Amino acid sequence: MSVLAFNDPSNVHYSWLQRFAGNIIRYGCTSRLRHIAIVMDGNRRFAREHNFERARGHTLGADRLFDVCQWCHDLGINELSVYAFSLENLKRSQDEIDTLMNIARVKLSELKKSLDKIHEQQICVRIIGNLDLLPEDIQQSSYYLMKETDHYKNFILNVCLYYTSRNEITTVIQTLAKGCEKNLLNIDDIDDDLILQSLIVSTSQTGYLPDIFLRTSGELRLSDFMLLQCRFSMWIFADVYWPAFTVWHLYWIILQYEMKSKTLINIQDQCKTILQQERSMNEQKNERIKGYLNWLEQQRIERLKL
């Protein structure tokens, strides 16, 4: 699969054992996985170990992303957030940066050519990050795709480009300051919950935080990816390079979550209960926050119209 256009699961090439295991996981697991966040790591090392050029490793990694989207869709997981390019990657050689941008350019072009299928299947594509730093043609393609697919919720792919969590949080705080200047908020309204709600507006179409934070390649690092959004996620570090990631790895990850999900959900519910009690105590604050979040969403939509 080379583009984000889902085939009917019966037409996807699964072995009989993969199909059997997938059906057990989809219909047998008691916990409902809705959102996975992935640091797609290991493209360069995969290429080096197989004597490929580095560019081929990155290309294979990009192709694997669309395979994983199909697998998640078939398993009933309808939101995927991936770390495609960090602001820290700007420290790499210009040749490698150009390679990565060319791959992004090609994949965005393929997505635009597949728009009829994307519309038919109601797939939402969101590009998240400091998009002003992207080459102009990639900016235009990104905004065009987001504008065309923004209202869909059947499957959501959030691609983080020129992104770090620190930069994202800084932007949210600057936006909160503007909200106070416009008298949409009082300074006392700002707390960690409002910051998180603001982040959700920009990084999740469904409003669901990631259930799983996954990093491939065996590295035990978070790499500044969705740090606040993943605070209640299950963190899994898979010892496999991203281009070598298979559906079996995904099945294993989902089963790991199934075994631990009750504990995670209990913690999330306890925190939600505390927040709901605090919110119910101040209706005026709730109204201000609701108005601010609506304004924030409108700002996001207006940017897509430019």
Side-chain angles (χ1 to χ4, degrees), residues 31-289:
S31 56
R32 172 80 196 285
L33 255 175
R34 294 173 295 199
H35 187 176
I36 298 179
I38 304 178
V39 179
M40 306 179 294
D41 191 28
N43 294 338
R44 294 189 296 175
R45 279 167 285 172
F46 179 84
R48 187 162 56 244
E49 288 190 7
H50 289 80
N51 295 317
F52 297 155
E53 290 188 2
R54 190 161 49 193
R56 188 179 176 193
H58 288 307
T59 300
L60 290 171
D63 290 340
R64 181 59 70 206
L65 168 59
F66 294 123
D67 292 331
V68 172
C69 287
Q70 174 80 56
W71 301 336
C72 286
H73 174 266
D74 294 346
L75 290 166
I77 301 164
N78 73 333
E79 187 161 12
L80 188 64
S81 298
V82 296
Y83 206 1
F85 190 91
S86 167
L87 285 170
E88 297 297 319
N89 292 150
L90 291 172
K91 298 175 182 177
R92 295 184 179 181
S93 69
Q94 190 59 47
D95 179 62
E96 185 170 5
I97 293 171
D98 291 342
T99 296
L100 290 166
M101 289 300 102
N102 283 334
I103 292 171
R105 192 172 284 114
V106 169
K107 293 303 176 184
L108 287 169
S109 177
E110 289 177 355
L111 288 173
K112 288 170 71 174
K113 291 177 182 177
S114 303
L115 261 180
D116 288 344
K117 189 88 171 176
I118 288 172
H119 284 309
E120 178 186 333
Q121 297 173 337
Q122 299 187 352
I123 301 167
C124 174
V125 180
R126 301 183 82 179
I127 313 298
I128 297 165
N130 197 334
L131 304 190
D132 292 339
L133 297 177
L134 287 168
E136 187 173 347
D137 61 324
I138 296 179
Q139 278 189 53
Q140 291 175 355
S141 295
S142 298
Y143 280 115
Y144 177 75
L145 273 172
M146 288 192 287
K147 180 180 177 181
E148 287 290 314
T149 66
D150 188 60
H151 52 294
Y152 295 139
K153 293 187 178 181
N154 184 43
F155 184 87
I156 300 98
L157 174 62
N158 304 309
V159 181
C160 295
L161 281 172
Y162 279 59
Y163 170 96
T164 63
S165 190
R166 286 173 298 167
N167 181 261
E168 180 184 46
I169 292 168
T170 300
T171 301
V172 164
I173 291 171
Q174 291 169 343
T175 308
L176 286 167
K178 290 180 183 177
C180 291
E181 288 176 1
K182 293 178 176 292
N183 294 319
L184 296 171
L185 292 171
N186 293 339
I187 192 70
D188 292 338
D189 295 336
I190 300 174
D191 55 21
D192 61 339
D193 182 51
L194 180 54
I195 291 172
L196 184 60
Q197 289 184 69
S198 302
L199 288 170
I200 290 172
V201 169
S202 63
T203 58
S204 176
Q205 178 76 328
T206 61
Y208 294 124
L209 295 174
D211 301 295
I212 291 175
F213 171 100
L214 167 66
R215 185 193 182 101
T216 58
S217 85
E219 291 286 334
L220 303 180
R221 291 184 288 117
L222 303 180
S223 291
D224 209 355
F225 179 53
M226 289 192 167
L227 298 181
L228 285 183
Q229 295 95 320
C230 292
R231 61 181 178 175
F232 294 127
S233 305
M234 182 174 183
W235 294 355
I236 297 178
F237 300 90
D239 193 13
V240 56
Y241 296 138
W242 177 246
F245 190 83
T246 69
V247 72
W248 289 114
H249 293 107
L250 183 59
Y251 291 166
W252 173 79
I253 286 161
I254 294 171
L255 290 174
Q256 295 296 307
Y257 180 80
E258 173 72 7
M259 290 187 288
K260 303 287 186 181
S261 60
K262 287 185 179 180
T263 301
L264 292 168
I265 292 170
N266 285 338
I267 294 171
Q268 293 169 7
D269 289 344
Q270 289 173 16
C271 292
K272 286 178 183 177
T273 300
I274 294 170
L275 289 172
Q276 287 170 356
Q277 290 172 348
E278 291 177 352
R279 289 171 187 166
S280 64
M281 295 171 63
N282 194 331
E283 288 299 326
Q284 290 183 337
K285 176 181 177 180
N286 292 342
E287 287 300 314
R288 288 193 299 271
I289 289 174

